[in-house]
Amino acid sequence: MRKIDRKQIELTEKDLHCLARLMQSEESMTNVKCLYCRYAIECKEDFMQNKKLQHMTVLKKLEQITGVNIFMNQKTIQKEILAGSWIEKNQNC
């Protein structure tokens, strides 16, 4: 697996807006992630062309930047959840 330079990955304003909507949806316990998003129409058009969901792309970027595993395998979740934690940091010292 090739090493990714975290400094080369940038979150755009659109990415940040998407993350804010994801957090808003989680905090309000509603599932309106994209419904009221200012980029909803643009994202729908993008999805129709490349079949990628914007919020999945943003979460992958966030995962790469932070080292925190967002998309975890249920079989290895107990180990994967430690990625990017103080425990992992101390084990690597």
Side-chain angles (χ1 to χ4, degrees):
M1 184 176 201
R2 100 182 151 88
K3 181 117 169 126
I4 297 171
D5 183 0
R6 295 177 184 179
K7 293 176 186 166
Q8 290 180 345
I9 301 169
E10 291 186 25
L11 292 174
T12 64
E13 192 282 329
K14 181 179 175 181
D15 294 339
L16 293 171
H17 187 84
C18 184
L19 284 170
R21 286 293 184 182
L22 289 170
M23 287 187 269
Q24 180 186 54
S25 187
E26 183 67 27
E27 283 297 311
S28 65
M29 291 187 261
T30 60
N31 192 12
V32 295
K33 293 175 191 84
C34 303
L35 186 61
Y36 302 111
C37 180
R38 79 170 63 133
Y39 297 103
I41 295 168
E42 182 181 325
C43 289
K44 180 184 175 197
E45 290 168 359
D46 289 346
F47 176 76
M48 297 304 282
Q49 288 180 0
N50 62 30
K51 302 299 184 227
K52 291 185 179 177
L53 294 170
Q54 174 66 18
H55 67 274
M56 297 298 281
T57 302
V58 171
L59 292 174
K60 290 270 186 203
K61 280 184 180 182
L62 188 61
E63 192 174 66
Q64 291 172 332
I65 292 169
T66 63
V68 174
N69 294 341
I70 296 171
F71 302 100
M72 294 181 278
N73 181 325
Q74 290 301 312
K75 293 180 181 177
T76 57
I77 195 168
Q78 289 181 329
K79 182 178 180 186
E80 289 184 46
I81 206 159
L82 298 177
S85 73
W86 64 270
I87 295 170
E88 179 191 57
K89 184 178 177 183
N90 287 340
Q91 288 178 346
N92 291 331
C93 294

